[in-house]
Each structure stands twice: as C-alpha cells, then as structure tokens.
C-alpha cells in the first residue's frame, strides 16, 4: 500500500466515525430471461399480471418480451435492495405459470434471430420510440446479442463526503456540482483502469449454448463440450467479450472519461453524426421504421460501457443534458454477470465489496487517461475476459507485466483500508469481511463463479442448458415457497392496475403523430443545457 494512500485513509478516520462515509445510496437493475420448462427462450408476451412494462416502476423488460428487468428503489442499506429484489422475483413467480427465470447471463436455447421477440410497449409515441429503438439494435447488431442478461448497480456517495473532500482539496472556488462531477469522473477513470478485477472476481459466463451462434460457427477461443455447449477454458465473462456487448463502430468514439464536457460532447456528436453502414440499412421506409436514425448512436443509451455517469432526468431532458445542466449524481456499474449459483444473481456481500472498490477508486490518485493508455486498459479487460483464470496470464501496468494474483493482491490491500471507512458506523465489519472473503479467489481461480460453473460442467458432463435449467428449477421452487413482505405484496398488486392505467393515459394524451414527435425529440436532444444550471449550484 502506498504511503500516500495510507496517510489519506488515516486522516479520514475521524470523519468516517462522524458519518461522512455512512450513507451511500444504492439501487439495483437486474435482468433475467423468461424460459419455458425445456430451457428455451419464452415466446409468450410479457405477462399482463406483472403490469405495464412501459410504466411499471419496478418490473419492465429490457430488449425483448422475454427479458425481464427488475428495478429496485434507492436504499442506504444494500440488504434492503436485495430484499426488494427477492420479493420482485417471488411476485413474478406467482404469475409465470410453468415458466422460469434463467439465472445465467448467457441465454437459454434460442432458435435463430427471430426467436428473440422485440418488446412491444404499446401505441403511444414514447412506447413506439422504445420499440423502434430496439428494431434499430436488431438491424445493427442482431437480436441474439440482446438476449444476454446482467446486473447494473447504481451508487451515489453521500453529500457530507463531497463537502469533506472539497474542503480537503481546497476547491471551494468551484460549485459543489462541478466538484462532485470532477471527482466522480476521477472515480470512473480508476474504475476503467481496474475493472478487470471485477471481471475476474464476478465473471460467471465461461460457457454458452451453441444456439447463441450461427449454425456451424465456432470462434477459435471456444471449445466443444458435449453436443450443444461451447466453453472457453480460462474465460471469466463471455458476456463482456466480443461475443457479447461490444461494438466496433462505438470503439472509435474513444470515451475515456477525462471530463464531463468531453463525455457529453462526444455522446452528442455520436447521436448526430451519420454512419454510412447504418444509412444503408434505411430508417423510415414508407412508414416502416427500421431504426430511429442512421447515426453512430440512435440515442445515448446505445453506448456500451462498463460504467456510466448518471443523473435522474427531468421532463424533456436527455441523460447527457441532465448531466450537463446539473452534474453527475450517481454512477452505474454495468460489468456484472449474473452468478447462477446465487438466487438473485448477486448478494449483499458482493455489493459491499463493490462499494469498497468504488470508494478506493474515488480516493486513489486518478490522472487523465491519454489515448494510448485507453488502448492498454481495453487490452487488460479483454485478456481477463478471455483468459482471466489462466495462471500464465500477465496484465500490463505502466509498462510492467503483472499477474492477477500479484496486482490484485496489492489492490485488495488498499480496498480493505477503504472498507474500514465504510464500516466506521456499521455493526461489525461487513465491508472489510466482504473484501477478506474474496482475497483467496486471487490465487485459486476455481473459487470464482466462472471457475465453479466450468467445474460443474466438466465434473458432471452436463450441457450448459441442462446445468442452468436444473439451477433455475431449484431457484423457482425456493421463490414460489418463500413468503413475501405483506405490505410489498400489496404494493405490487396495486402497481399492476395503476401501471396499465398510466399507459392508457399516455396513449390517450398523444397529440401529434410519431414522425413529428421524433423530430421534436431529436431537435431538443441536440440542444446544450449547460446554460440552464440551477442558480444555486454555484453558491
């Protein structure tokens, strides 16, 4: 551990005891593919009994009708978010009949591109836009990629912490909003430098069903296991590999998160700059909308990244306009696979580790990332995704080759110090315990979720589909038998009816046709909102 970091941690202990680190706000977004009893992707519509996927605040869909997405409220205690997520699963299983929620990131059995049905959000303009956006993803990347599931973890740090750090840094001449954004971007840069550690520890997708790939296609990195399974012996997360959410067109954007203005400007350029290959696909062909536009990005959400700066948007405001106007409010961690061995794909201990990791990213030095370093970071992530459990693997740190065990062990030592700050007002040491529990995984890859899944396939001889389907059935039985919080059950019942009513009201309120609605949306999206910063922000 560097002396500078050790000194910093020691100087923050008193502030931690006074609560400066004690009220992180956390929320979860968790995807899960609906499958039939055979482990094939469900062809049924999103159940009406779960509410409207357009307006329900907690149960929606991501890309397809079959890809459930659960959204928890924001909580200060990670266990509360986990409990809410569990009740969402229990409620769903009351209405899924024989269907199951697939517990792995790589999808169940598919039957070609068309077996992944694009989600339908109704006849309103906003619902149509969501549907056409997904049609655009289909023509650009195919629907198969959109059947992959994961977990997004949203975290915002307490206001007291920003006040403390701003005073320590002597940056009171800046507005609090500007300082917060600057430090969040520093956190993001360090996350980008070291997200390979999360991919190693929590990657859980080293295998897939053959139906994920076109017939007869098998990349060199994959080996046959049985008749219908392909594995990558040392891989951690095929979901995060070039088989999953990667895009060569977006790679030329080179977003390395040095400043908020650069980030917003790059996204605005991408949503307004045509791309020839996308132009060739067509946009609106005689009333048949194929994509929202032919630009590098249709909308900002199309940009794939393992972490994003975020702010809650206001009416008629895009995500980047919200950031530009009022700064970063929270960050969204997007590189987490579903762990099939955990009923919810994640648990409280892992959330607490990620909290400690993020705090370490915030407090560590974080210089800007030049283009050449940006490329090296991409290389490190790719190596861990494809070969993270290979004992011979070496990553590059400032020109020096290092093993995961060596470099990861050094990082873990500092993360443990950051965890102590988070534990200052906790009962016990849950963050430090979460860090300590993962340290042995650095030297024993068999303990990782990817290692455990491959070990099961190899020892049992099961196909990927067989193994995950057996786990899904066990988890479904547990969820169906477990009681729900009564007040939460009543809330979910009420939200079904109110969400359907809200969708009907939105549809009835539309006053212009879709073409006009979309033209107005993109005209507004191209506007800068930097001049609309709240007058109190600079106080």
């Amino acid at each position: 551990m560097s002396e500078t970091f050790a000194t910093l941690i020691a100087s923050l202990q008193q502030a931690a005891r006074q609560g400066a680190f004690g009220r992180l706000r956390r929320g979860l977004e968790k995807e899960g593919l609906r499958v039939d009893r055979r482990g094939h992707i469900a062809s049924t519509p999103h159940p009406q009994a779960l509410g409207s996927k357009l307006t329900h605040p907690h149960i929606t869909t991501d890309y397809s009708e079959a890809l459930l997405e659960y959204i928890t409220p924001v909580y200060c205690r990670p266990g509360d978010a986990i409990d809410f997520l569990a009740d969402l699963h229990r409620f769903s299983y009351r209405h899924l009949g024989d269907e199951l929620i697939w517990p792995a990131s790589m999808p169940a059995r598919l039957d070609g591109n068309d077996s992944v049905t694009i989600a339908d959000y109704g006849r309103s303009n906003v619902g149509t836009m969501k549907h056409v956006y997904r049609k655009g993803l289909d023509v650009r990347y195919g629907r198969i990629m959109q059947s992959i599931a994961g977990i997004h973890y949203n975290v915002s740090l307490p206001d007291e912490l920003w006040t403390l750090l701003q005073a320590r840094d002597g940056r009171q001449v800046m507005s609090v909003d500007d300082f917060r954004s600057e430090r969040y971007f520093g956190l993001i840069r360090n996350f980008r430098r070291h997200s390979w550690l999360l991919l190693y520890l929590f990657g859980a997708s080293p295998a897939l069903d053959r139906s994920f790939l076109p017939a007869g296609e098998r990349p060199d990195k994959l080996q046959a296991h049985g008749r219908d399974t392909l594995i990558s012996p040392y891989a951690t997360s095929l979901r995060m590999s070039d088989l999953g959410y990667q895009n060569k067109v977006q790679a030329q954007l080179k977003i390395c998160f040095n400043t908020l203005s650069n980030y917003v400007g790059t996204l605005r350029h991408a949503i307004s700059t045509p791309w020839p290959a996308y132009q060739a696909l067509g946009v609106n062909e005689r009333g048949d909308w194929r994509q929202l536009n032919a630009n590098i990005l249709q909308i900002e959400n199309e940009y794939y990244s393992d972490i994003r700066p975020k702010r809650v948007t206001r009416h008629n405001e895009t995500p980047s306009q919200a950031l530009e106007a009022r700064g970063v409010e929270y960050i969204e961690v997007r590189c987490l696979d579903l762990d099939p061995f955990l009923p919810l794909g994640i648990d409280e201990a892992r959330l607490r580790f990620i909290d400690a990791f993020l705090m370490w990213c915030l407090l560590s030095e974080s210089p800007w990332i030049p283009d050449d370093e940006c490329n090296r970071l991409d290389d490190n992530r790719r190596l861990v995704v494809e070969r993270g459990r290979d004992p011979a693997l070496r990553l590059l740190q400032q020109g020096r080759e290092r093993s995961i065990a060596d470099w990861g062990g050094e990082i873990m030592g500092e993360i443990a110090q950051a965890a102590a700050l988070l534990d200052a007002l906790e009962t016990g040491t849950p963050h430090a315990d979460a860090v300590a529990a993962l340290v042995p995984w650095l030297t024993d890859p068999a303990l990782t979720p990817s290692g455990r899944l491959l070990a099961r396939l190899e020892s049992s001889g099961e196909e990927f589909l067989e193994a995950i389907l057996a786990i899904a059935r066990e988890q479904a039985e547990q969820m169906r038998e477990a009681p729900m919080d009564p007040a939460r059950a009543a809330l979910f019942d009420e939200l079904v009816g109110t969400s359907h009513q809200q969708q009907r009201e939105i549809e009835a309120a539309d006053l212009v046709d879709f073409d006009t609605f979309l033209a107005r949306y993109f005209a507004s999206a191209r506007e800068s909102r930097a001049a609309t910063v709240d007058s109190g922000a600079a106080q």
Side-chain angles (χ1 to χ4, degrees), residues 28 82 85 151 336 339 342 344-348 350-351 354:
L28 285 167
I82 291 291
L85 182 61
I151 292 175
L336 302 174
D339 185 341
L342 296 175
L344 304 176
I346 198 164
D347 62 11
E348 181 177 344
R350 294 191 188 177
L351 296 185
I354 297 167

Side-chain angles (χ1 to χ4, degrees), residues 7-17 20-21 161 164-165 168 363 421:
T7 302
L8 172 63
I9 293 297
S11 70
L12 294 173
Q13 290 291 346
Q14 182 176 352
R17 289 190 291 270
F21 294 82
L161 180 57
L164 169 68
L165 294 178
R168 281 187 55 88
L363 296 178
L421 298 178

Side-chain angles (χ1 to χ4, degrees), residues 4 40 58 73 94 107 135 144 147 173 218 241 244 251 291 294 296 299 310 330 352 437 445 479 501 509:
T4 301
H40 293 221
H58 304 301
R94 293 181 177 183
K135 290 178 68 175
I144 298 296
S147 64
V173 295
R218 193 185 84 190
S241 75
Q291 50 186 337
I296 296 172
I299 56 176
K310 300 291 288 286
Y330 65 98
R352 290 191 181 272
M479 290 293 178
Q501 178 60 31

Side-chain angles (χ1 to χ4, degrees), residues 428-494:
T429 54
H431 293 90
D433 294 345
V435 176
L438 295 178
V439 170
W441 294 17
L442 295 173
T443 53
D444 188 356
L447 298 174
T448 63
S450 59
R452 292 181 62 200
L453 180 55
L454 271 188
R456 171 164 176 164
L457 297 180
E458 291 168 351
S459 63
S460 68
E462 292 171 293
E463 299 280 1
F464 173 73
L465 185 144
E466 292 174 332
I468 302 302
L469 184 58
I471 294 171
R473 287 169 175 159
E474 293 171 5
Q475 293 175 354
E477 183 177 354
Q478 295 170 4
M479 290 293 178
R480 289 188 176 111
E481 292 179 352
M484 287 183 61
D485 176 272
R488 201 170 285 156
L491 170 65
F492 293 166
D493 284 332
E494 179 181 355

